[in-house]
Amino acid sequence: MKDKILILFLSLIFKILFIANTLSEEIKFEANVIEFLDKDKKIIAEKNVKIFSDTGVVINADKMEYNKEIGIINAEGEIIIENNDNDIKIYGNKLIYDQNLNKLKVSKNVEIKILDDYTLETELINYDIVKKEIVIETIANIFDNLGNKITANQTIFSMKNKLLKINNTKMFDVLKNEYHFDTAIVDFSSQEIIGDGIKIDFFNNAFGNEQNDPRLRGKSIYSDNNETIVKKGVFTTCKKEKDKCPPWQFKAAEIKHNKNKKTIYYKNAWLEIYDKPIVYFPKFFHPDPTVNRQSGFLIPTIKSSSSHGDSISIPYFQVISDNKDITFSPQFFGNNEVLFQNEFRQENRNSSHISDFSLKKKSGASKSHFFSNTISNLNFANFDSGELEVNVEATSNNTYLKSHNIKTEITNNKSLLNSFLSLKANKGDLFLEARLESFEDLTKEKSNDKYEYLLPSLELSKSFNKNLNLTSTAYNKNYDTNIFEKVLTNNLKYSSNPNISSKGIINNFSLLLKNVTTKGDNSQKYESDLRSHNYSSFMYDISYPMKNSGNKYDNFITGKASFMYSPNKNRNVQDLDRRINIKNVYSQDRLGLYDSVEGGQSITLGGEYSLIDKNNRALLKTNIASVFRDNSDESLPTKSTINNKGSDLIGSLLFEPNNNLKLDYNFSLDNDLSSTNYNLLKADFTVNKFVTSFEYLQENDEVGSESYFSNNLKLDLTNSSSLKYMTRRNRKTDLTEYYNLIYEYKNDCLTAAIQYNKNYYSDKDLKPTEEIFLSISIVPFTTINSPSTK
C-alpha cells in the first residue's frame, strides 16, 4: 500500500514539472497547460505562457503555438515583452517569433514603454533581438508624461542606445505648437532632439493675436532640456497666404531659445519687409511666449515737438520680484535737457499699487509730477466686502502734463487732478463709502482758487426691497479759497411696479421724500446758520404702446405722459448748467439737483415711433417731448428751457436703413417752432470704398453758444491701404483746431503709415504743432516712429 502511494506521488510531481517547464532543443518556455501535436512537431501552450530567449528577452502571452519544424512561434492575447538589461517593455495582442532569424513581429495595439516616461503606440513592429533594434514602417505615435506627442511615418528605435530615428515627423507639445521634421533623432536618455528641415507652427495666440500664424522655419534644429538652437532660421507672425511672402520676417544665421532664461536670441539677423532687408541686427533678443514680464530695454521712441524740439526715449523695464516691477523712461532732448519718468507697480494678494513720477530740469528750474494709486481689499467682520483706495495726483506746473504729453495708467485727464482717500463697504443691499478728496483745476490762473476740497464726503444707501430705497449723502466742501459749504441729504424713494390695464395702458408712480440740512460760510448758495429743509416730489407716468404689423415691417407707436408735482418752491438755480434731452426728460431728477427738487407742477408729453423689419433691425427711431408748466419760473435753469410755460420741443431721430448710412440727430426747437436752439447731428456714410463721418453741433440763445464741425474721411485704396483725413473747426471762434492726413498700409501683422498732423492749440508752454512722420508697427512686438519733419 505504501509503495503504491509513493509511485502515485512521484508520478504527480513528474507531471507538474513537465507542465511547468518543458525544454526542447530549440526553445525554452513554460505554461500552465501544454499540448503536443503531430508527433511532437507542434506544441500548443496556454495560460501564463512565458517564452525565454538566450539573449535575455522574456515573452509573456496568453496562448502560444510552436512549429518546431520551421522554428516559428505564434502567440496571442496579452503580449508583454521584457528585457532584463533595459527599461523597455513591449505590449501587443499578436506575435510571430522567428527563432532562426531571432526576430519578432508584434502587431495589434502595440505599445512600447521606454524608461516609464515615454510611450510609443503603433500597429506593427519588427524587433531584431540580436541587433536590439525595432523597425516601424507604419504610423507611430510617441507620447511623454508631460503631454507632448510625436507622429512619424518611418521609425527605427535602437533599444541599446535608446535612440529613435524618425522620418516625415510631426510633433505637438502641451501648448499645441506643431513641429515638422524631414528627419530627426531623439535620444531618450539625454532627452535631446536633432533634426533637419525644421518647421514650427506656434499656436495662434502664442504672441497675443489669434488672427496671426506665428511660425519658425530652419535648416536644422538641436534641442535639449536647456536650449533649442535653429540654424538659418526664419521667423514671422504673419498670416499664411498661398504663394505670397509674409509682410515681415526675421532671418537669422542662428536662433537660440534659452529655456532657463525664457529668452529667444537672434544672431546676424535681418528684418525683412516683403523680402527686402530693412534693418540689420548683429544680435537681437526678446522673451519667449511663456513670459509675461522680463527685465531689459524696451524699444526706443523718437519724438518731435514744436515746444521742446527733438527727443529720444530709451525705456528700461526691471522685474524686481514676482509681484514688483519698475520702468525707467529717460527722455533726452537736443538742448542737453533730460526728462526722467519712472513707473512702479506692485501686485499683492489683497492689494494693487502703481505710482508714476517724472522730473525735468531746465536752467536751474524744474518741473515734475507724481501720481500714485493703491487699492486694498479689506475684510470687515460685519460686511461682505470692503475696499480702501488711496489716489494721489500732483504736478508742479499747470501745463507740464500737456506740453510734455505725460502718459500714465492712473489718469488721462491733464486738466483736472483728483486726489482722494476712499473707504467702501457693502453687505447685501447696504452700501457705505467715506471719502477725503481734493481737486486741482490746472486751467485756473489763481493758485488758491484752483483747489477744491471735500473733507469728508459720505454716502450710505440701503434697499429695503425692490421698491423702497434710502440714500444718505453728506459733504464738507471748501473751494475758491474761503468758501465753505456743509450739506447733509437724505432721500427716501418709493417706486411702484408697472401696472398694465385691460386696454394696454402702462402706468406707474414714484414718491420722493428729501431732507436737506445746510450751512455755509461766504457761500452764495447757503446761509451761514444751520438750516434744514424738507422736500417732496410725486411723479406719475403713463404710456400707451401700439403696434401695426406689416408684411415687411412692424410699426411701433408709443404715447407718453408724465405728471410731476412738488409742493415746494424752486430754489434759484437759473445759472445751473443743465440741458434737457430726450434721455432725461421723463426723469424725476432730470435737473440733477443734489440739495432740492424740481418744484411746482408740470406735465411732460411726448411720443416714440419705431420702424423695425422682420429681422428685428430698427430702421427708424424717433422721439419727441415737451414740458408744460402752469406758470413760468425763472428760478429754474435757463439753459434747460423748462423755466418757461412751454419748454423747447425736444427730440431725436435715428435713421439706419442699411449698413451704408446712419444718421443720429438730436434737436431742440423753440416752443414757437420758429428757430432751433440746439442741433447735434452725427452721420456715417459709406459708398464702396469711401467712408465719411461728421459731427455738427450748434447751440443758440439760452441753450448756449458752442458750435463746431468735425469730419473724418477714409478712402480704402486697396484691401490693405487707405487714406484718412480728420479735421475739426470751431465755428464759435471761426478757427480750425486741427487737421490730420494719414496714409496707412495695414494687414494682420504689419502697419505702416505716413502721417501729417497740424494742431493750432496754444497755451503758455504749448505751441501750435506741425509734424510729418513715418511709423511702422511690427505686430506683436513694437511700433517705430521716425523723427518728425517740420
Side-chain angles (χ1 to χ4, degrees):
M1 183 65 180
K2 291 182 179 180
D3 292 338
K4 289 182 179 181
I5 292 174
L6 180 61
I7 293 172
L8 181 61
F9 176 75
L10 292 174
S11 174
L12 180 60
I13 291 297
F14 175 77
K15 289 180 180 180
I16 292 174
L17 291 175
F18 184 82
I19 292 173
N21 193 355
T22 301
L23 180 63
S24 69
E25 297 177 0
E26 296 85 1
I27 193 167
K28 180 181 179 182
F29 67 90
E30 65 181 29
N32 289 354
V33 179
I34 300 175
E35 182 180 1
F36 294 90
L37 303 174
D38 197 12
K39 298 181 180 180
D40 296 344
K41 293 179 182 180
K42 183 183 292 186
I43 302 175
I44 298 176
E46 296 183 30
K47 296 183 180 180
N48 297 322
V49 178
K50 282 192 175 183
I51 306 168
F52 302 94
S53 168
D54 293 338
T55 59
V57 175
V58 179
I59 302 170
N60 298 271
D62 293 336
K63 184 177 180 180
M64 178 199 79
E65 182 179 312
Y66 177 35
N67 191 323
K68 296 173 62 177
E69 286 188 330
I70 60 176
I72 299 294
I73 296 177
N74 288 281
E76 60 184 31
E78 187 177 344
I79 307 293
I80 302 176
I81 303 172
E82 301 176 280
N83 198 319
N84 295 329
D85 60 355
N86 59 44
D87 297 322
I88 299 172
K89 291 184 179 181
I90 303 172
Y91 301 83
N93 296 131
K94 190 173 181 180
L95 175 142
I96 300 175
Y97 179 16
D98 189 329
Q99 187 183 9
N100 299 320
L101 299 177
N102 223 348
K103 292 183 178 181
L104 293 172
K105 182 177 287 187
V106 184
S107 60
K108 290 187 178 182
N109 302 319
V110 179
E111 283 190 5
I112 303 176
K113 299 287 187 180
I114 306 169
L115 301 173
D116 293 328
D117 294 322
Y118 305 92
T119 301
L120 186 151
E121 295 180 355
T122 188
E123 287 300 313
L124 177 65
I125 68 170
N126 294 295
Y127 177 17
D128 191 320
I129 296 177
V130 177
K131 293 183 178 180
K132 296 185 178 180
E133 184 178 84
I134 296 175
V135 177
I136 305 172
E137 296 182 352
T138 58
I139 295 177
N141 295 312
I142 301 101
F143 304 88
D144 65 12
N145 291 339
L146 300 176
N148 302 308
K149 175 185 175 182
I150 297 176
T151 300
N153 289 332
Q154 295 179 335
T155 306
I156 299 175
F157 178 52
S158 172
M159 300 179 68
K160 180 178 181 181
N161 300 317
K162 296 183 178 61
L163 290 177
L164 186 70
K165 299 178 182 179
I166 44 183
N167 295 325
N168 300 323
T169 305
K170 289 183 181 180
M171 186 174 82
F172 304 87
D173 64 20
V174 291
L175 297 176
K176 297 183 180 180
N177 298 315
E178 185 174 339
Y179 304 75
H180 297 255
F181 305 92
D182 292 339
T183 60
I185 298 176
V186 181
D187 189 332
F188 291 107
S189 298
S190 61
Q191 296 184 334
E192 296 177 324
I193 298 178
I194 301 173
D196 291 326
I198 176 64
K199 299 177 182 179
I200 305 176
D201 292 320
F202 299 98
F203 67 95
N204 285 359
N205 201 31
F207 292 86
N209 189 339
E210 293 183 357
Q211 303 302 319
N212 293 147
D213 294 322
R215 56 196 181 275
L216 173 64
R217 305 290 185 259
K219 184 178 180 181
S220 63
I221 185 173
Y222 166 81
S223 181
D224 60 18
N225 288 329
N226 299 314
E227 64 182 12
T228 297
I229 300 175
V230 176
K231 297 292 185 180
K232 294 185 177 180
V234 181
F235 173 76
T236 185
T237 64
C238 298
K239 201 167 186 66
K240 294 178 182 177
E241 293 190 52
K242 188 177 181 180
D243 301 327
K244 289 185 179 181
C245 63
W248 71 263
Q249 60 185 12
F250 275 117
K251 278 189 176 180
E254 179 182 282
I255 301 176
K256 181 187 292 185
H257 177 208
N258 189 311
K259 298 177 182 179
N260 296 321
K261 295 183 178 180
K262 297 184 178 181
T263 304
I264 299 176
Y265 299 89
Y266 299 81
K267 184 183 293 185
N268 295 328
W270 278 96
L271 170 61
E272 293 187 352
I273 296 181
Y274 286 106
D275 276 348
K276 303 296 182 182
I278 302 297
V279 184
Y280 172 71
F281 301 91
K283 291 185 178 180
F284 170 72
F285 67 91
H286 62 80
D288 69 23
T290 65
V291 174
N292 293 324
R293 318 178 296 157
Q294 189 177 72
S295 299
F297 284 100
L298 306 179
I299 297 297
T301 58
I302 301 174
K303 301 178 182 178
S304 294
S305 167
S306 58
S307 303
H308 307 289
D310 296 331
S311 64
I312 182 172
S313 177
I314 307 175
Y316 183 84
F317 179 76
Q318 176 65 47
V319 177
I320 301 174
S321 62
D322 290 341
N323 67 326
K324 300 176 186 177
D325 57 53
I326 188 170
T327 302
F328 303 94
S329 300
Q331 186 176 352
F332 302 94
F333 296 84
N335 54 4
N336 295 324
E337 297 178 5
V338 183
L339 187 155
F340 297 97
Q341 184 172 357
N342 307 313
E343 181 188 78
F344 173 77
R345 301 185 303 176
Q346 180 174 345
E347 292 289 336
N348 299 321
R349 182 177 180 181
N350 294 312
S351 65
S352 175
H353 172 76
I354 181 171
S355 60
D356 193 284
F357 168 78
S358 72
L359 173 67
K360 183 183 179 182
K361 289 189 175 182
K362 180 181 180 181
S363 303
S366 64
K367 297 178 181 180
S368 63
H369 91 279
F370 176 76
F371 292 165
S372 176
N373 181 265
T374 303
I375 300 176
S376 300
N377 296 322
L378 305 177
N379 293 320
F380 293 118
N382 298 318
F383 292 90
D384 297 332
S385 63
E387 180 183 281
L388 176 66
E389 182 174 3
V390 181
N391 192 78
V392 178
E393 298 176 11
T395 182
S396 63
N397 183 272
N398 285 2
T399 60
Y400 172 65
L401 300 176
K402 288 183 178 179
S403 63
H404 289 81
N405 195 24
I406 301 296
K407 295 181 179 180
T408 172
E409 292 186 16
I410 296 175
T411 181
N412 292 321
N413 196 328
K414 295 180 174 61
S415 299
L416 183 67
L417 303 183
N418 180 208
S419 298
F420 60 85
L421 171 66
S422 170
L423 179 63
K424 300 177 183 178
N426 66 74
K427 181 178 182 181
D429 296 326
L430 176 65
F431 173 78
L432 296 172
E433 181 178 11
R435 293 173 71 93
L436 301 175
E437 194 163 16
S438 71
F439 296 91
E440 181 180 357
D441 189 346
L442 301 179
T443 63
K444 290 186 176 181
E445 294 292 334
K446 293 183 179 180
S447 59
N448 292 332
D449 290 349
K450 67 180 181 179
Y451 293 100
E452 179 179 311
Y453 303 96
L454 292 172
L455 303 171
S457 66
L458 305 169
E459 179 180 351
L460 179 149
S461 64
K462 170 66 177 177
S463 178
F464 296 97
N465 51 50
K466 294 181 179 180
N467 305 101
L468 185 62
N469 294 277
L470 172 67
T471 302
S472 296
T473 57
Y475 65 78
N476 180 21
K477 182 191 294 187
N478 169 219
Y479 63 98
D480 288 349
T481 307
N482 62 346
I483 299 177
F484 296 87
E485 295 174 350
K486 299 177 181 179
V487 181
L488 170 64
T489 303
N490 296 292
N491 292 319
L492 183 64
K493 186 174 183 179
Y494 176 83
S495 300
S496 70
N497 294 323
N499 178 59
I500 303 176
S501 71
S502 60
K503 301 293 185 180
I505 298 175
I506 304 173
N507 60 82
N508 63 281
F509 71 90
S510 61
L511 176 64
L512 172 64
L513 302 178
K514 181 189 290 279
N515 172 260
V516 180
T517 303
T518 62
K519 185 177 187 300
D521 188 4
N522 299 319
S523 172
Q524 295 181 355
K525 294 174 62 177
Y526 306 120
E527 302 293 335
S528 59
D529 56 336
L530 189 67
R531 298 198 175 188
S532 181
H533 303 275
N534 294 316
Y535 300 94
S536 62
S537 174
F538 175 80
M539 190 172 200
Y540 180 77
D541 293 318
I542 183 171
S543 62
Y544 186 39
M546 294 174 286
K547 176 182 178 182
N548 180 27
S549 297
N551 295 329
K552 295 182 178 180
Y553 307 102
D554 293 331
N555 295 272
F556 295 86
I557 300 177
T558 303
K560 294 183 177 181
S562 178
F563 304 91
M564 187 157 59
Y565 171 76
S566 172
N568 304 101
K569 293 183 178 181
N570 285 300
R571 293 182 60 250
N572 187 5
V573 290
Q574 60 179 347
D575 295 328
L576 197 64
D577 186 8
R578 294 290 187 270
R579 192 182 69 81
I580 301 300
N581 56 49
I582 204 66
K583 293 182 178 179
N584 63 20
V585 68
Y586 297 104
S587 170
Q588 193 170 12
D589 189 29
R590 56 193 171 194
L591 293 178
L593 300 177
Y594 175 82
D595 51 7
S596 64
V597 297
E598 182 182 328
Q601 52 268 359
S602 66
I603 179 173
T604 303
L605 300 177
E608 177 181 312
Y609 171 76
S610 298
L611 179 65
I612 299 177
D613 64 17
K614 294 302 180 179
N615 294 321
N616 202 32
R617 173 174 178 165
L619 307 180
L620 177 65
K621 284 186 176 182
T622 181
N623 290 270
I624 196 165
S626 186
V627 181
F628 300 93
R629 314 186 74 85
D630 54 348
N631 295 300
S632 60
D633 192 338
E634 295 182 357
S635 298
L636 292 170
T638 303
K639 195 171 184 178
S640 71
T641 75
I642 67 171
N643 57 334
N644 302 313
K645 279 190 174 184
S647 73
D648 283 2
L649 188 64
I650 302 159
S652 68
L653 183 146
L654 179 63
F655 181 53
E656 193 172 5
N658 49 52
N659 294 328
N660 298 325
L661 177 63
K662 181 180 179 181
L663 296 175
D664 187 1
Y665 178 45
N666 288 268
F667 61 87
S668 176
L669 291 172
D670 196 82
N671 54 17
D672 60 4
L673 306 181
S674 61
S675 61
T676 59
N677 291 329
Y678 180 85
N679 291 285
L680 177 60
L681 177 62
K682 300 178 182 179
D684 297 316
F685 183 61
T686 302
V687 178
N688 296 327
K689 296 182 178 180
F690 178 77
V691 180
T692 181
S693 62
F694 66 85
E695 183 173 319
Y696 170 75
L697 172 67
Q698 183 183 26
E699 295 178 345
N700 294 319
D701 297 333
E702 63 266 27
V703 172
S705 59
E706 293 296 321
S707 183
Y708 66 80
F709 175 82
S710 65
N711 183 217
N712 293 343
L713 299 174
K714 180 181 178 183
L715 177 62
D716 291 324
L717 303 175
T718 65
N719 292 333
S720 302
S721 60
S722 64
L723 190 65
K724 299 178 181 179
Y725 175 74
M726 292 158 281
T727 187
R728 174 171 160 140
R729 185 172 183 83
N730 189 322
R731 299 181 73 249
K732 180 180 179 180
T733 60
D734 199 27
L735 294 174
T736 299
E737 295 180 356
Y738 66 86
Y739 57 81
N740 303 328
L741 181 63
I742 304 171
Y743 170 78
E744 182 180 73
Y745 174 86
K746 184 176 183 179
N747 54 41
D748 66 292
C749 65
L750 175 69
T751 300
I754 300 175
Q755 185 166 342
Y756 173 74
N757 298 331
K758 189 165 185 177
N759 194 323
Y760 292 90
Y761 179 80
S762 62
D763 179 19
K764 295 183 180 179
D765 294 341
L766 287 172
K767 299 178 181 179
T769 60
E770 184 178 13
E771 57 186 5
I772 182 171
F773 60 90
L774 171 69
S775 67
I776 298 177
S777 297
I778 306 295
V779 180
F781 294 110
T782 188
T783 296
I784 303 172
N785 293 325
S786 71
S788 173
T789 302
K790 296 175 287 186

